Amino acid sequence: MKRRQYHPPRIAGWILKHTARYEETFALIGDFDEEYQEVNHKSGALFAWFWYWRHCLSSLPVFVKDSVYWSFIMLGNYLKIAFRSLKKHKGYSFINISGLAIGMAVCVLILLWVKNELSYDRFHEKADRICRVTMDLEVGSTLHTPVTLTAVGPALVRDFPEVIYSTRMLPPNRVAVKYEDKLIQETRVGYAENAIFEIFTFPFVSGDPKTALEAPYTVVITESMAKKYFGDEDPLGKTLRFNNEQDFSVTGVVQDIPSNSHFRFNMLRSFQTFITEGDVSDDQWFDVRFYTYLLLGENVDAKTLERKLPDFLDKYVGEAMKASGGSIGLSLQPLKRIHLYSDFERDMSANSDITYVYLFSGIALFVLLIAGINFINLSTARSATRAQEVGMRKTLGAVRSRLIGQFLGESLIYSFLSMVLALVLLKLSLPLFSTLIGRELSLNFIQTPWLIGVILGMAVVVGVFAGSYPAFFLSSFQPVRVLKGLLKVGASNSRFRRVLVVFQFAISIALIVGTLIVYKQIVFMKNTELGFNKEHVVAIPRMSDAIRKSYRSVRGELLGLPGVIDVGASDLVPSRGHLVASFLPEGFPDNQRQTLDYMNVDTHYIPTMGMEIIAGRNFSEDLATDQDESVLINETAAKKLGWEDPVGKRFVFRPPPGQEGETTYTTVIGVVKDFHMQSLREKITPLVIFYDYDNLFTVSIRIVPDNIKHTMDLLKKKWGELDPNRPFNYFFLDDSFDNQYRSEERLKNITFYFSFLAIFIGCLGLFGMASFTAEQRTKEIGIRKVLGASVLGIIRLLAKEFLILVAVANLIAWPVAYWAMNRWLQSFAYRTGIDPLIFVLSAVLALSIALFTVSYQAIRAALSNPVDALRYE
Amino acid sequence: MKDLTKIEEILLLAIWRLKDDAYGVKIRKYVSQITGKDFTYGNLYSALSQLSKKKYVKKTLGEPTPDRRGRRKIYYTVSPAGVNALKAAREMNEKMWEGVSDYAFD
């Protein structure tokens, strides 16, 4: 009799099948089914259903326990094989692990840097609501700057309920600070209004943030300053003397400003001081000295507020701007964008650029990619040796998914070993990297626990990414073909490997070209004729009032020193900023005023600096009229104003609107050959030079090139006698000028190190590939040698293959590098051309490095005794 | 030779007793009956696979039946090594119980 068949619960059956991992599982399920039918007939379907589920679930813990146990046993086997193959092929393992480790270390370094860049100004609690007022001034030429009209801040708070606080700030500067017998040249000493503590988050250690800077002649200092000047004493109420002129009393101590702040101060004096002294008033519009920061109300959209600003400006300065024929615009820059998205003139500090963040992140990824490619390349190249193992495992019943798991696991082992090595490298290279980029970075897992996750994640991603191709490739072998020796490994995937090598070298070559071009541009900028002689000039900035009053005799004293050639004075020196004003050249209508740069000098400045007068004459001490009625202009100014023969032309100075006074004129008495006041990024601007003894702040001293140290000692001693109340503070003009190219230097250094690393990792891979090829072709080489091939011929045979790849990589890298570097060079007004020689040079470099790498293996193969190779045939 | 666990001992005895009929369903029922508890298939096969790894049992494939939806039975028999292990277990048991009177724990 045929009994009726019941179908057992599907889900429970599925669970059984997939959790019970015994050899006997089929019989186990059979037993289940058999007993299920029995129960069905005895007690009914419902009861049987429960029976099946109950047994399934109560067996589950044991199944899971056993299957985990067995996969551990298998894992042990995989680990054993992995470490065996790691030990057996030490060379390959070294290449893989060190390459990956370098790639990872570079990535983490860049990550730390990027994180640091992105963290700027984020520590302020109200960072989202803070913005900076920036200004676009257009009077003849344009000025795009964060320095704004003095009255803007208070007026914005008054007119717009959206604006809660505003503070004006004078950028932190160098000042001589005196307390009792301590006299120190202090950096980062600024001015601000008390609202700065409402807007920004600068935690107070002592003092009252509500009132600290309310009164004139008060100063808030940082903790480290307090320690420096007052030791363990209570700083509150103490008096500091600034520039030997003004006394300020300490009303607050704040924690030191974090390094990831776009402005940092050591001391902040009260802005009220300016007002008390009558230097500034809140209704003063046409005064452009201060930076203005605002705190907006919650949920206020800065963009909406920005759209109301033209009307606001029109109300206060519309009339005046119409009269001058210029225009003015205000924008609000969110605090969080200041560090990475600023392109202003006269900004408070050298900010970074988001382009560099993208650029370096890209490079870091590329280096990691190159290392990953190595891994894939070597693993597939070596697949022949593993093919036997795969064939054997498959014959013994390994399923493909298990094999994929095994090979992925192996690459994970490699990537985790690399990670450990990378951490060591990271620890070693971090100080070097910090100096390279000019930021203090630290590797602190306790402070930044996310870093652990990132590094572990990177190891996993790299392991899986680099291991997946070999895993799928190796596990696809058919055991019959492999074990019969039918599989020709190498031929099938050699194209893939070649593409990878080409890609790798293309990246490296592009980096080399980039480094060379940046280097060439820096050399160009440093060696270009500036229009004056920047070598051996000592500049002493910010002379005190006393010195300035007796400048003529001071100059005489300095000239008397041995080693001093000439002494001149000016308000500005090249590389340290420029001033603009609007001028009315004679013959121009009143509403076409021209924006020109200007500076003030004495009669000796131009000869001291080695500037050249190409028409007319220099100022003369003997002509009284020169001080008030004469100016010099540069060639660019002459060109801009369209004056073919500028000597004798005049500028018109009208009295301010609404005021009585005579119109005066100043006459151009000479033309100075164009010289670079700013870095070579900027075009030479039109310049007007005044002769004015009242506005000289910096003395420039040309000294003899020999025995500079002795001359400096003499200068220091003399200056100490002349101005005993201030420390001797000076700089060399050439240093100051070259310092403008620090960001380019930094770029050059970083690309240099990166291209070195990229080439190094690429070569590691190439070396591995070459040794593999040599190994594969042992017999071929043996036969060739027996048949009379020369050693050189065989070396050529082996090296040719790789050199062609590198040559192709060159062809790919060149256009990319050309395009990128051409774009980079566009940011310089004065730039070097892209020399074809650079491309040739980098090609030669890459080829010779590749040749060198390959030749070791090639020579070894070529010199080997053919008997050894052919012995077993 | 490794000592048998209690479950392995019971299973080996069960297989030996069931003779030609020793396969999953029967063994489970027998053991459940002896111990008075519902013995799960999980425990059964976990122990059986251990026994066969230790070579105390021999496996032969049986016929597929419709009730088993085409899956073959595995018949177990105690191998000579299994017999030795049982003997050793019995000896140890007897030694342990030696001199303990039947009423000792009353």
Side-chain angles (χ1 to χ4, degrees), chain A residues 33-65:
Chain A
D33 289 357
E34 185 183 325
E35 212 170 332
Y36 171 74
Q37 303 296 346
E38 211 180 297
V39 177
N40 240 315
H41 288 285
K42 210 186 283 169
S43 321
L46 189 69
F47 190 83
W49 188 88
F50 273 112
W51 179 90
Y52 201 105
W53 266 107
R54 186 166 58 84
H55 272 259
C56 171
L57 291 179
S58 61
S59 295
L60 214 54
V62 182
F63 292 155
V64 172
K65 191 193 86 196

Short mmCIF file of all heavy atoms in Angstrom, two decimals, chain A residues 33-65:
data_model
loop_
_atom_site.label_atom_id
_atom_site.label_comp_id
_atom_site.label_asym_id
_atom_site.label_seq_id
_atom_site.Cartn_x
_atom_site.Cartn_y
_atom_site.Cartn_z
N ASP A 33 12.71 13.47 7.71
CA ASP A 33 11.54 13.30 6.86
C ASP A 33 10.80 12.00 7.18
O ASP A 33 9.57 11.96 7.27
CB ASP A 33 11.97 13.29 5.39
CG ASP A 33 12.39 14.67 4.94
OD1 ASP A 33 12.30 15.60 5.76
OD2 ASP A 33 12.85 14.83 3.79
N GLU A 34 11.60 10.95 7.39
CA GLU A 34 10.99 9.65 7.66
C GLU A 34 10.15 9.70 8.93
O GLU A 34 8.99 9.31 8.95
CB GLU A 34 12.10 8.60 7.80
CG GLU A 34 11.56 7.18 7.95
CD GLU A 34 12.69 6.19 8.16
OE1 GLU A 34 13.79 6.38 7.59
OE2 GLU A 34 12.47 5.23 8.92
N GLU A 35 10.74 10.28 9.98
CA GLU A 35 10.02 10.33 11.24
C GLU A 35 8.82 11.27 11.16
O GLU A 35 7.79 11.05 11.78
CB GLU A 35 10.98 10.77 12.36
CG GLU A 35 10.59 10.12 13.69
CD GLU A 35 11.64 10.33 14.77
OE1 GLU A 35 12.82 10.48 14.44
OE2 GLU A 35 11.23 10.34 15.94
N TYR A 36 8.99 12.32 10.32
CA TYR A 36 7.90 13.28 10.13
C TYR A 36 6.67 12.59 9.53
O TYR A 36 5.54 12.80 10.00
CB TYR A 36 8.40 14.40 9.21
CG TYR A 36 7.34 15.35 8.74
CD1 TYR A 36 6.79 16.30 9.61
CD2 TYR A 36 6.88 15.32 7.44
CE1 TYR A 36 5.83 17.17 9.18
CE2 TYR A 36 5.92 16.19 6.99
CZ TYR A 36 5.39 17.13 7.87
OH TYR A 36 4.44 18.01 7.44
N GLN A 37 6.92 11.77 8.53
CA GLN A 37 5.80 11.04 7.92
C GLN A 37 5.12 10.17 8.97
O GLN A 37 3.89 10.10 9.06
CB GLN A 37 6.29 10.15 6.77
CG GLN A 37 7.04 10.89 5.67
CD GLN A 37 6.18 11.88 4.93
OE1 GLN A 37 4.95 11.85 5.04
NE2 GLN A 37 6.82 12.79 4.21
N GLU A 38 5.94 9.52 9.78
CA GLU A 38 5.42 8.61 10.81
C GLU A 38 4.53 9.37 11.79
O GLU A 38 3.41 8.95 12.07
CB GLU A 38 6.63 8.03 11.55
CG GLU A 38 6.44 6.63 12.09
CD GLU A 38 7.72 6.21 12.77
OE1 GLU A 38 8.76 6.12 12.08
OE2 GLU A 38 7.70 6.01 14.00
N VAL A 39 5.04 10.51 12.25
CA VAL A 39 4.27 11.30 13.21
C VAL A 39 2.98 11.79 12.56
O VAL A 39 1.92 11.80 13.19
CB VAL A 39 5.09 12.51 13.71
CG1 VAL A 39 4.26 13.37 14.66
CG2 VAL A 39 6.35 12.03 14.39
N ASN A 40 3.07 12.17 11.30
CA ASN A 40 1.92 12.62 10.55
C ASN A 40 0.80 11.59 10.58
O ASN A 40 -0.36 11.92 10.84
CB ASN A 40 2.34 12.82 9.09
CG ASN A 40 2.10 14.26 8.69
OD1 ASN A 40 1.05 14.78 9.00
ND2 ASN A 40 3.08 14.86 8.04
N HIS A 41 1.18 10.36 10.31
CA HIS A 41 0.17 9.31 10.25
C HIS A 41 -0.37 8.98 11.60
O HIS A 41 -1.54 8.63 11.75
CB HIS A 41 0.75 8.06 9.57
CG HIS A 41 0.92 8.29 8.11
ND1 HIS A 41 -0.14 8.30 7.22
CD2 HIS A 41 2.02 8.57 7.36
CE1 HIS A 41 0.30 8.56 6.00
NE2 HIS A 41 1.63 8.74 6.06
N LYS A 42 0.48 9.14 12.60
CA LYS A 42 0.05 8.77 13.94
C LYS A 42 -0.78 9.89 14.58
O LYS A 42 -1.81 9.66 15.15
CB LYS A 42 1.28 8.46 14.82
CG LYS A 42 0.97 7.43 15.91
CD LYS A 42 2.16 7.29 16.83
CE LYS A 42 3.25 6.45 16.18
NZ LYS A 42 4.50 6.52 16.97
N SER A 43 -0.32 11.16 14.47
CA SER A 43 -0.94 12.21 15.28
C SER A 43 -1.46 13.40 14.48
O SER A 43 -1.93 14.37 15.05
CB SER A 43 0.07 12.76 16.29
OG SER A 43 0.84 11.72 16.81
N GLY A 44 -1.36 13.34 13.17
CA GLY A 44 -1.95 14.43 12.38
C GLY A 44 -0.93 15.47 11.95
O GLY A 44 0.16 15.60 12.53
N ALA A 45 -1.34 16.24 10.95
CA ALA A 45 -0.42 17.16 10.27
C ALA A 45 0.09 18.25 11.20
O ALA A 45 1.28 18.58 11.22
CB ALA A 45 -1.11 17.77 9.07
N LEU A 46 -0.84 18.82 11.96
CA LEU A 46 -0.45 19.94 12.81
C LEU A 46 0.60 19.53 13.82
O LEU A 46 1.63 20.17 13.99
CB LEU A 46 -1.68 20.49 13.53
CG LEU A 46 -1.43 21.80 14.28
CD1 LEU A 46 -1.18 22.92 13.28
CD2 LEU A 46 -2.57 22.12 15.21
N PHE A 47 0.35 18.41 14.47
CA PHE A 47 1.29 17.91 15.46
C PHE A 47 2.65 17.63 14.82
O PHE A 47 3.69 17.98 15.37
CB PHE A 47 0.71 16.64 16.11
CG PHE A 47 1.50 16.20 17.29
CD1 PHE A 47 1.26 16.78 18.54
CD2 PHE A 47 2.50 15.24 17.18
CE1 PHE A 47 1.99 16.39 19.63
CE2 PHE A 47 3.24 14.86 18.27
CZ PHE A 47 2.98 15.43 19.51
N ALA A 48 2.59 17.04 13.59
CA ALA A 48 3.84 16.71 12.90
C ALA A 48 4.63 17.97 12.57
O ALA A 48 5.85 18.01 12.68
CB ALA A 48 3.53 15.93 11.62
N TRP A 49 3.85 18.97 12.15
CA TRP A 49 4.50 20.25 11.81
C TRP A 49 5.26 20.78 13.02
O TRP A 49 6.41 21.16 12.94
CB TRP A 49 3.42 21.23 11.35
CG TRP A 49 3.96 22.51 10.81
CD1 TRP A 49 4.31 22.75 9.52
CD2 TRP A 49 4.18 23.72 11.54
NE1 TRP A 49 4.75 24.02 9.39
CE2 TRP A 49 4.69 24.66 10.61
CE3 TRP A 49 4.02 24.10 12.88
CZ2 TRP A 49 5.03 25.95 10.97
CZ3 TRP A 49 4.35 25.39 13.23
CH2 TRP A 49 4.87 26.30 12.29
N PHE A 50 4.57 20.76 14.18
CA PHE A 50 5.23 21.21 15.41
C PHE A 50 6.43 20.34 15.74
O PHE A 50 7.47 20.82 16.16
CB PHE A 50 4.23 21.20 16.58
CG PHE A 50 3.47 22.48 16.67
CD1 PHE A 50 2.11 22.54 16.40
CD2 PHE A 50 4.14 23.67 17.02
CE1 PHE A 50 1.42 23.73 16.46
CE2 PHE A 50 3.44 24.85 17.09
CZ PHE A 50 2.08 24.88 16.80
N TRP A 51 6.24 19.04 15.54
CA TRP A 51 7.32 18.11 15.85
C TRP A 51 8.59 18.46 15.06
O TRP A 51 9.68 18.57 15.59
CB TRP A 51 6.88 16.68 15.51
CG TRP A 51 7.95 15.67 15.78
CD1 TRP A 51 8.16 15.00 16.94
CD2 TRP A 51 8.99 15.27 14.89
NE1 TRP A 51 9.26 14.19 16.84
CE2 TRP A 51 9.80 14.36 15.59
CE3 TRP A 51 9.31 15.59 13.57
CZ2 TRP A 51 10.91 13.74 15.01
CZ3 TRP A 51 10.43 15.00 13.00
CH2 TRP A 51 11.22 14.09 13.71
N TYR A 52 8.35 18.69 13.73
CA TYR A 52 9.48 18.97 12.85
C TYR A 52 10.21 20.24 13.31
O TYR A 52 11.42 20.27 13.46
CB TYR A 52 8.97 19.16 11.42
CG TYR A 52 10.05 18.97 10.36
CD1 TYR A 52 10.09 17.82 9.59
CD2 TYR A 52 11.00 19.96 10.10
CE1 TYR A 52 11.05 17.63 8.61
CE2 TYR A 52 11.97 19.78 9.13
CZ TYR A 52 11.99 18.61 8.38
OH TYR A 52 12.94 18.44 7.42
N TRP A 53 9.43 21.30 13.56
CA TRP A 53 10.03 22.57 13.97
C TRP A 53 10.75 22.46 15.31
O TRP A 53 11.84 22.98 15.48
CB TRP A 53 8.94 23.65 14.07
CG TRP A 53 8.84 24.43 12.78
CD1 TRP A 53 7.85 24.35 11.86
CD2 TRP A 53 9.77 25.40 12.28
NE1 TRP A 53 8.10 25.18 10.82
CE2 TRP A 53 9.28 25.86 11.04
CE3 TRP A 53 10.99 25.91 12.75
CZ2 TRP A 53 9.93 26.80 10.27
CZ3 TRP A 53 11.64 26.86 11.99
CH2 TRP A 53 11.11 27.29 10.77
N ARG A 54 10.09 21.73 16.24
CA ARG A 54 10.68 21.62 17.57
C ARG A 54 12.04 20.94 17.48
O ARG A 54 13.04 21.41 18.03
CB ARG A 54 9.75 20.83 18.49
CG ARG A 54 10.21 20.77 19.95
CD ARG A 54 9.07 20.28 20.83
NE ARG A 54 8.58 18.96 20.44
CZ ARG A 54 9.16 17.81 20.85
NH1 ARG A 54 10.20 17.83 21.64
NH2 ARG A 54 8.66 16.65 20.47
N HIS A 55 12.10 19.84 16.70
CA HIS A 55 13.37 19.13 16.59
C HIS A 55 14.43 19.93 15.84
O HIS A 55 15.61 19.91 16.18
CB HIS A 55 13.14 17.76 15.93
CG HIS A 55 12.81 16.72 16.93
ND1 HIS A 55 13.73 15.81 17.39
CD2 HIS A 55 11.65 16.46 17.62
CE1 HIS A 55 13.17 15.04 18.29
NE2 HIS A 55 11.89 15.42 18.45
N CYS A 56 13.93 20.61 14.83
CA CYS A 56 14.86 21.43 14.05
C CYS A 56 15.50 22.49 14.94
O CYS A 56 16.72 22.62 14.99
CB CYS A 56 14.10 22.09 12.90
SG CYS A 56 15.06 23.31 12.04
N LEU A 57 14.64 23.20 15.70
CA LEU A 57 15.17 24.31 16.50
C LEU A 57 16.02 23.82 17.66
O LEU A 57 17.04 24.43 17.99
CB LEU A 57 14.03 25.18 17.01
CG LEU A 57 13.31 25.98 15.91
CD1 LEU A 57 12.18 26.79 16.50
CD2 LEU A 57 14.29 26.87 15.17
N SER A 58 15.57 22.70 18.27
CA SER A 58 16.36 22.26 19.43
C SER A 58 17.70 21.67 18.99
O SER A 58 18.63 21.58 19.78
CB SER A 58 15.57 21.24 20.26
OG SER A 58 15.27 20.12 19.45
N SER A 59 17.80 21.28 17.70
CA SER A 59 19.09 20.76 17.23
C SER A 59 20.02 21.89 16.79
O SER A 59 21.23 21.71 16.69
CB SER A 59 18.87 19.85 16.03
OG SER A 59 18.15 18.71 16.43
N LEU A 60 19.43 23.02 16.53
CA LEU A 60 20.18 24.14 15.94
C LEU A 60 21.46 24.51 16.68
O LEU A 60 22.52 24.61 16.04
CB LEU A 60 19.26 25.35 15.82
CG LEU A 60 19.50 26.23 14.61
CD1 LEU A 60 19.44 25.42 13.33
CD2 LEU A 60 18.47 27.34 14.57
N PRO A 61 21.39 24.67 18.01
CA PRO A 61 22.63 25.09 18.71
C PRO A 61 23.79 24.14 18.44
O PRO A 61 24.91 24.59 18.22
CB PRO A 61 22.23 25.04 20.19
CG PRO A 61 20.75 25.17 20.19
CD PRO A 61 20.26 24.58 18.92
N VAL A 62 23.51 22.86 18.42
CA VAL A 62 24.59 21.90 18.20
C VAL A 62 25.14 22.04 16.78
O VAL A 62 26.35 22.02 16.57
CB VAL A 62 24.08 20.46 18.44
CG1 VAL A 62 25.22 19.48 18.26
CG2 VAL A 62 23.48 20.35 19.82
N PHE A 63 24.22 22.16 15.82
CA PHE A 63 24.67 22.32 14.43
C PHE A 63 25.60 23.51 14.28
O PHE A 63 26.67 23.43 13.68
CB PHE A 63 23.48 22.54 13.49
CG PHE A 63 22.60 21.34 13.33
CD1 PHE A 63 21.27 21.49 12.98
CD2 PHE A 63 23.11 20.06 13.53
CE1 PHE A 63 20.46 20.39 12.83
CE2 PHE A 63 22.29 18.96 13.37
CZ PHE A 63 20.96 19.12 13.03
N VAL A 64 25.13 24.64 14.83
CA VAL A 64 25.91 25.87 14.69
C VAL A 64 27.27 25.71 15.36
O VAL A 64 28.30 26.04 14.78
CB VAL A 64 25.15 27.07 15.29
CG1 VAL A 64 26.06 28.31 15.32
CG2 VAL A 64 23.91 27.36 14.46
N LYS A 65 27.25 25.14 16.55
CA LYS A 65 28.50 24.95 17.28
C LYS A 65 29.47 24.11 16.46
O LYS A 65 30.62 24.47 16.25
CB LYS A 65 28.21 24.25 18.62
CG LYS A 65 29.39 24.23 19.56
CD LYS A 65 29.16 23.26 20.71
CE LYS A 65 29.58 21.87 20.29
NZ LYS A 65 29.09 20.79 21.14
#
